[in-house]
């Protein structure tokens, strides 16, 4: 009888630890939507600006290629006028050839940006970090996002909203095909 009690206690303790770990490790499902709506355009504009000049399509005559970026919040925190935004970003270079949307390249990158609230209420990026290439990537993700977040970052930023915005920018129909550069 005593052995059964010990087994149940150990098993019950293990369940409590597993549940507590899952709750701690799970990324926050709630991101302050109002704050995100104010900092997202600043983050995405910075990403576009940084991407300019780095694409194959920009050198292709007649393609009119340019960069488009989308960021998804993984975590977001504001304290004392400073915002820490852990984001997954997707930046893609698109152009148009013969009425088709042309994808010339791009990348998805997790990043941590810090923004300062200016006196006029707008935000400005004051620092930006992304993982190093190669072996340090997993360690960087864990240090900057926590243990569970690499799994969240694997879900990828969906390209569909970005492609919709690009089609609208170029005046293409919603069903225009996407080809490669």
């Amino acid at each position: 009888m005593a052995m059964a009690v010990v087994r149940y206690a150990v098993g019950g303790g293990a369940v409590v630890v597993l549940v507590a770990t899952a709750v701690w490790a799970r990324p926050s499902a709630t991101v302050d939507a109002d704050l995100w709506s104010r900092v997202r355009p600043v983050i995405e504009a910075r990403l576009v600006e940084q991407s300019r000049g780095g694409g194959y399509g920009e050198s292709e005559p007649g393609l009119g290629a340019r960069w488009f970026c989308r960021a998804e919040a993984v975590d977001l925190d504001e304290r004392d006028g400073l915002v820490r935004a852990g984001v997954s970003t997707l930046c893609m270079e698109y152009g148009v050839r013969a009425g088709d949307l042309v994808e010339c390249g791009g990348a998805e990158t997790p990043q941590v940006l810090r923004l300062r609230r200016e006196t006029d209420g707008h935000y400005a990026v004051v620092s930006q970090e992304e993982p190093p290439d190669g072996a340090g990537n997993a360690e960087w993700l864990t240090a900057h996002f926590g243990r569970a977040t690499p799994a969240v970052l694997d879900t990828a930023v969906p390209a569909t909203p970005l492609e919709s915005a690009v089609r609208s920018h170029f005046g293409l129909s919603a069903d225009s095909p996407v080809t490669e550069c």
Side-chain angles (χ1 to χ4, degrees):
M1 173 76 174
M3 199 59 177
V5 170
V6 169
R7 264 190 249 155
Y8 286 118
V10 170
V15 168
V16 168
V17 169
L18 288 172
V19 169
T21 301
V23 168
W24 171 81
R26 189 180 68 228
S28 173
T30 59
V31 168
D32 181 336
D34 181 54
L35 177 59
W36 182 236
S37 72
R38 290 181 279 140
V39 298
R40 183 182 204 165
V42 176
I43 292 169
E44 290 175 347
R46 181 178 178 106
L47 295 170
V48 167
E49 186 60 37
Q50 290 175 328
S51 298
R52 283 195 184 130
Y56 169 76
E58 291 171 304
S59 63
E60 283 291 303
L63 198 56
R66 62 167 287 214
W67 287 90
F68 296 84
C69 297
R70 181 169 173 81
E72 294 290 339
V74 176
D75 58 57
L76 190 63
D77 184 44
E78 182 175 29
R79 291 184 189 169
D80 302 322
L82 289 174
V83 175
R84 180 196 182 277
V87 298
S88 186
T89 66
L90 176 64
C91 289
M92 301 293 294
E93 183 188 28
Y94 291 102
V96 176
R97 181 183 301 128
D100 291 345
L101 186 59
V102 180
E103 178 186 304
C104 297
E108 183 171 352
T109 309
Q111 298 188 37
V112 174
L113 295 99
R114 287 181 176 74
L115 300 95
R116 178 183 59 239
R117 184 181 217 158
E118 301 292 319
T119 55
D120 63 2
H122 293 95
Y123 289 87
V125 175
V126 295
S127 72
Q128 182 175 0
E129 300 174 69
E130 59 184 61
D133 291 335
N137 195 2
E139 291 82 13
W140 188 92
L141 288 173
T142 300
H144 289 78
F145 289 96
R147 290 187 302 188
T149 305
V152 172
L153 293 170
D154 284 344
T155 60
V157 177
T160 304
L162 189 61
E163 288 178 358
S164 294
V166 172
R167 283 184 178 101
S168 176
H169 171 81
F170 286 119
L172 300 173
S173 67
D175 61 349
S176 63
V178 179
T179 60
E180 291 187 19
C181 231

